């Protein structure tokens, strides 16, 4: 679409005076890392590595993290910061630069995607909360059948109380606002997450038989690189792990000061998201091998296989507590990011107070979430949103920023606060490589039933 000489340059890009913001660059980066570090890192990454060639899977995964991290995350942060608002307002302002209307209608897509995933994700956070409590009381460790224990929780209305408690804890933090709520909680939860998983990784390293897991994880089976499935799933894993959806990262970017270096921030998010995934793999894969279980067990790995591992591990209850507290921190920080998009939308669109917006989304999320209190329904719901809505939101945000706003505008906005001049890589990598990869994720997701 290129730059347009008839752009409406008088569109107000400034943020509202009363708009909340991150109080520090460190807090912003931790919040973005918190949004990215979630179930994709802990639940899915370890068994994807196990299924698809160990270190061979890491080769395309790292390539795609670099490509997506330095383009997608940069773009979404910069787009939000440039427009001073979330996707609804950002899409509207982008099209107004071209003299077009109804950008806010298109902007509903990433908002719906973020709210949809949040509603489903909150059920999973309820499961994690129940497992955390079960680890502390010993009921999880003492359960004779880990599969039955999880089945009772994941069954119809099996975790309703924990689901509601998880939502209550999340929204109490969010009522406090961006700097006093989200930022402060992430400053505690994210460092704690990494410390706790590091402790677990050290403990697992001395388990008899753990070395088989390290060999499985780090000795490449290169034949997997000629399998297109390895590259397809590595692309999907990188895409979803970095929380690219045209929603949460755009909103967090809108709370960021113009003087901050977006490129450097995006680098930290990509690096620490990858470290989190590797830490999870270093805990789960060797421990599963040490007790002769299946590392490619899929989704049951965290809720059935790992509890079975803790039962057999010396001081297993203590380490199960550490594990599920760390997982809970990752779940809650991601959930806050997902719910922030619709909350910000109500604040910006209808000029509602922060408290009213949070209560409105809390009530809607709780009522809608009750219908997903069944693992089968939840699975279908999450698949539909993650395959059809989330990648579309990311694609539309990329098109709006890199194409509709134009290459010149995008470069100027990303350059704000940067210590170094952006190189000639910027335009081809953002307009063609990233947008091309996003289209690929969307098409492959539709035809292959999800690749994340």
């Amino acid at each position: 679409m290129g730059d347009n000489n008839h752009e409406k340059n008088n569109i107000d890009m400034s943020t509202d005076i009363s708009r909340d913001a991150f109080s520090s660059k460190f807090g912003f980066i931790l919040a973005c890392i918190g949004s990215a570090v979630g179930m994709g890192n802990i639940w899915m990454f370890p068994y994807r590595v196990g299924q698809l060639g160990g270190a061979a899977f890491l080769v395309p995964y790292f390539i795609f993290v670099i490509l997506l991290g330095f383009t997608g995350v940069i773009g979404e942060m910069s787009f939000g910061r440039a427009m001073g608002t979330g996707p609804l307002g950002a899409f509207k302002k982008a099209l107004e630069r071209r003299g077009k209307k109804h950008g806010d209608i298109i902007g509903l897509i990433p908002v719906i995607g973020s709210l949809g995933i949040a509603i489903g994700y909150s059920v999973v956070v309820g499961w994690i909360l129940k497992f955390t409590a079960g680890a502390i009381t010993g009921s999880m460790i003492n359960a004779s059948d880990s599969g039955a224990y999880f089945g009772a929780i994941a069954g119809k209305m099996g975790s309703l109380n924990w689901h509601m408690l998880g939502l209550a804890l999340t929204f109490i933090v969010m009522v406090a606002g961006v700097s006093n709520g989200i930022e402060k909680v992430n400053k505690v939860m994210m460092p704690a997450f990494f410390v706790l998983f590091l402790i677990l990784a050290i403990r697992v390293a001395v388990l008899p038989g753990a070395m088989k897991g390290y060999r499985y994880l780090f000795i490449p089976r290169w034949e997997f690189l000629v399998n297109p499935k390895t590259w397809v799933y590595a692309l999907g894993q990188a895409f979803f792990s970095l929380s690219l959806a045209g929603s949460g990262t755009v909103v967090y970017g809108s709370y960021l000061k113009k003087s901050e270096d977006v490129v450097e921030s995006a680098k930290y998010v990509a690096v620490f998201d990858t470290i989190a995934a590797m830490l999870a793999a270093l805990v789960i894969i060797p421990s599963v091998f040490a007790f002769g279980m299946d590392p490619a067990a899929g989704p049951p790995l965290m809720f059935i296989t790992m509890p079975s591992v803790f039962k057999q591990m010396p001081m297993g209850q203590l380490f199960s507590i550490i594990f599920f507290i760390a997982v809970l921190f990752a779940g809650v920080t991601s959930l806050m990011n997902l719910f922030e998009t619709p909350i910000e939308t109500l604040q910006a669109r209808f000029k509602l107070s922060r408290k009213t917006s949070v209560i409105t989304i809390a009530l809607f999320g709780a009522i809608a979430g009750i219908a997903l209190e069944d693992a089968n329904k939840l699975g279908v719901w999450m698949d539909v949103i993650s395959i059809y809505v989330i990648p579309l939101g990311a694609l539309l945000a990329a098109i709006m920023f890199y194409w509709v706003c134009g290459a010149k505008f995008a470069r100027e906005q990303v350059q704000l606060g940067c210590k170094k001049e952006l190189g000639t890589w910027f335009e081809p990598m953002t307009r063609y490589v990233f947008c091309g990869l996003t289209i690929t994720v969307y098409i492959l997701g539709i035809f292959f039933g999800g690749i994340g």
Side-chain angles (χ1 to χ4, degrees):
M1 296 178 196
D3 287 309
N4 191 328
N5 292 328
H6 302 290
E7 285 177 353
K8 293 194 173 183
N9 292 316
N10 61 340
I11 301 299
D12 181 22
M13 300 293 172
S14 62
T15 58
D16 192 292
I17 294 173
S18 63
R19 188 176 179 80
D20 203 349
F22 289 103
S23 64
S24 67
K25 175 183 173 181
F26 179 65
F28 168 72
I29 291 172
L30 282 180
C32 289
I33 292 169
S35 76
V37 174
M39 293 304 98
N41 306 76
I42 304 164
W43 194 350
M44 194 176 292
F45 181 79
Y47 79 81
R48 283 280 188 245
V49 174
Q51 286 176 330
L52 297 166
F57 176 81
L58 298 179
V59 173
Y61 178 74
F62 289 150
I63 290 171
F64 290 131
V65 164
I66 291 168
L67 293 177
L68 295 172
F70 274 78
T71 51
V73 179
I74 288 170
E76 291 195 5
M77 284 180 182
S78 300
F79 188 30
R81 184 175 69 173
M83 302 306 182
T85 181
L88 209 72
F91 282 37
K92 182 174 185 288
K93 288 181 178 181
L95 282 184
E96 283 176 349
R97 288 176 58 83
R98 297 282 182 177
K100 307 292 184 183
K101 296 181 179 179
H102 309 306
D104 50 346
I105 296 174
I106 302 172
L108 274 173
I109 293 172
V111 175
I112 291 168
S114 190
L115 179 59
I117 283 291
I119 291 168
Y121 203 79
S122 64
V123 178
V124 179
V125 169
W127 295 350
I128 298 165
L129 201 53
K130 167 61 178 172
F131 270 80
T132 305
I136 293 169
T137 62
S139 64
M140 182 194 72
I141 290 287
N142 295 327
S144 57
D145 185 339
S146 294
Y149 184 84
F150 175 59
I153 294 169
K156 193 171 183 180
M157 300 296 170
S159 63
L160 183 59
N161 292 339
W162 297 101
H163 177 187
M164 294 301 115
L165 179 59
L167 282 174
L169 293 172
T170 302
F171 286 120
I172 285 170
V173 173
M174 300 190 77
V175 165
V178 177
S179 58
N180 288 324
I182 294 171
E183 182 174 353
K184 284 184 177 178
V185 166
N186 273 286
K187 280 182 175 179
V188 174
M189 285 188 172
M190 272 300 97
F193 168 86
F194 284 100
V195 170
L196 292 173
F197 256 90
L198 189 59
I199 292 169
L200 287 166
I202 293 168
R203 173 66 187 95
V204 168
V206 298
L207 287 173
M211 190 53 65
K212 293 178 184 175
Y214 294 125
R215 283 197 291 267
Y216 189 81
L217 192 58
F218 291 117
I219 295 177
R221 283 151 280 163
W222 296 117
E223 65 273 16
F224 277 87
L225 283 182
V226 298
N227 181 356
K229 186 178 177 182
T230 303
W231 291 82
V232 168
Y233 279 99
L235 173 58
Q237 180 69 37
F239 188 89
F240 292 109
S241 184
L242 288 168
S243 198
L244 295 170
S247 53
T249 308
V250 174
V251 173
Y252 277 7
S254 73
Y255 299 137
L256 185 64
K257 297 171 184 174
K258 300 282 188 183
S259 57
E260 300 296 351
D261 189 333
V262 167
V263 176
E264 188 179 69
S265 298
K267 176 185 69 178
Y268 283 126
V269 171
V271 167
F272 280 98
D273 179 71
T274 304
I275 291 172
M278 289 303 298
L279 268 177
L282 286 168
V283 169
I284 292 172
I285 298 293
S287 61
V288 166
F289 265 92
F291 294 101
M293 296 181 184
D294 182 11
L301 195 62
M302 187 166 74
F303 291 114
I304 298 175
T305 307
M306 286 307 293
S308 299
V309 165
F310 291 127
K311 286 178 187 178
Q312 301 174 61
M313 184 187 293
M315 298 178 67
Q317 184 175 355
L318 173 62
F319 289 104
S320 70
I321 293 169
I322 294 172
F323 179 81
F324 281 107
I325 286 177
V327 173
L328 180 63
F329 287 175
V332 169
T333 52
S334 292
L335 192 58
M336 288 191 299
N337 175 265
L338 291 167
F339 274 124
E340 183 61 23
T341 300
I343 287 169
E344 187 275 343
T345 299
L346 291 184
Q347 286 184 271
R349 186 77 174 83
F350 299 106
K351 308 302 178 187
L352 299 179
S353 69
R354 174 78 183 182
K355 186 176 180 181
T356 302
S357 300
V358 170
I359 291 171
T360 302
I361 295 301
L363 289 172
F364 183 82
I367 294 166
I370 290 171
L372 299 177
E373 272 286 331
D374 180 292
N376 293 325
K377 288 181 182 177
L378 177 65
V380 173
W381 174 265
M382 297 294 269
D383 281 348
V384 169
I385 300 294
S386 64
I387 293 168
Y388 299 103
V389 186
I390 294 295
L392 181 59
L395 174 61
L396 290 171
I399 290 171
M400 287 289 174
F401 186 57
Y402 292 127
W403 289 94
V404 174
C405 290
K408 183 174 180 288
F409 177 84
R411 175 177 277 271
E412 287 172 354
Q413 294 304 316
V414 173
Q415 189 67 63
L416 285 175
C418 280
K419 298 178 180 68
K420 298 178 182 177
E421 187 74 25
L422 289 171
T424 55
W425 58 269
F426 181 74
E427 282 77 17
M429 288 296 293
T430 55
R431 288 160 66 89
Y432 301 105
V433 175
F434 176 72
C435 289
L437 285 174
T438 309
I439 292 169
T440 303
V441 168
Y442 191 54
I443 293 172
L444 289 172
I446 292 172
F447 283 99
F448 292 97
I451 62 172

